[in-house]
Each structure stands twice: as C-alpha cells, then as structure tokens.
Amino acid sequence: MVQLSDFSDGQNKIFQCYHGTFIMADEANNYAVTYAKTWLPVDPATQMTPCWPGSSIPFSTWDRDNDGHALNCAATYGAGFWFTSDNCTSCNPNGQLYPTQHTRQNIPNENFWTPTLGDWTPGFVTMILVRYP
C-alpha cells in the first residue's frame, strides 16, 4: 500500500493505492518490483499508478544508478525510487517533505506525485509491504 496524507491546516486529504501479487527481487536483481493487481479508490483523480508501473523496474539510489536514464535520477531527485528510463519520474514519494508547504515548490528533491495530485504535496507518506502466506 502507498498512502499520501495531510491533516494539517484542515487539509484532511488521503490518497491510497494497493498492489497485489507483488514481488520484490533480491539485491542481485536490484530490488526490482513487479505487481499484477492494483486496487484503487473509486475516484480516478486519486489514482497513483502512473508513477509506479508494475513491470520489473529496478530500484535506484544515488550510488546505484539502475534507471537506464542519461541522468542519475536518484541523485537528481535526492531519493531512491523505482525510476524509469523514459523521464525518470513524474513522482517522488521518497523525496523531502516540506510539511508547511501544501503546493509544489518545483524543487527537484521535494516529494511530489504530479499526474494525479497536481501541485499538491502531502504532509507525510507511508509505504507498507505486508507478506501474506
């Protein structure tokens, strides 16, 4: 589950996305993630999947550039993530949070999830992985 939330200043916003049949590879395979199912809220405006396509994308960090892009996306955006080779990312859920700001400052290392949330930025982000038998 990925959840972006903000309850400050009367915001009371929560955006969630659940992924099933979720597989994370080991270190030798760069923690590539694949998932087959996604459960989303009913409102299409809250869908968060454009930022995390589900087909074997390796995890990149500033010192392990696995994204296939000419830039080191993790260094550029100041956070590790499953960046893609086409445009690095249109979201940065592991980026720096600026809790007093509720709109994007267009700082590369800030937290953002542009395709569905526009210029809104969350107060906090939760990513939970749960192993089911």
Side-chain angles (χ1 to χ4, degrees):
M1 176 192 69
V2 178
Q3 177 175 303
L4 305 161
S5 310
D6 194 348
F7 300 110
S8 63
D9 298 333
Q11 294 286 312
N12 297 327
K13 292 183 179 181
I14 298 175
F15 300 96
Q16 297 177 328
C17 187
Y18 298 89
H19 299 293
T21 315
F22 186 93
I23 300 167
M24 182 181 292
D26 59 10
E27 182 180 7
N29 292 294
N30 299 315
Y31 303 105
V33 165
T34 302
Y35 59 88
K37 298 179 190 174
T38 301
W39 294 270
L40 302 163
V42 175
D43 181 358
T46 65
Q47 294 183 8
M48 299 188 296
T49 53
C51 293
W52 204 6
S55 57
S56 250
I57 299 171
F59 193 84
S60 288
T61 60
W62 65 271
D63 61 340
R64 290 187 75 174
D65 185 11
N66 298 316
D67 53 55
H69 194 281
L71 296 174
N72 179 333
C73 298
T76 300
Y77 289 98
F81 189 63
W82 291 272
F83 296 108
T84 60
S85 61
D86 55 350
N87 67 350
C88 281
T89 190
S90 50
C91 61
N92 189 15
N94 293 326
Q96 177 71 38
L97 291 171
Y98 295 93
T100 59
Q101 301 292 328
H102 299 293
T103 58
R104 283 201 59 195
Q105 305 300 301
N106 294 315
I107 303 167
N109 75 335
E110 74 183 321
N111 182 292
F112 58 91
W113 206 288
T114 305
T116 55
L117 304 180
D119 285 337
W120 178 78
T121 59
F124 61 93
V125 175
T126 307
M127 296 178 90
I128 300 171
L129 300 176
V130 178
R131 179 180 289 184
Y132 287 99

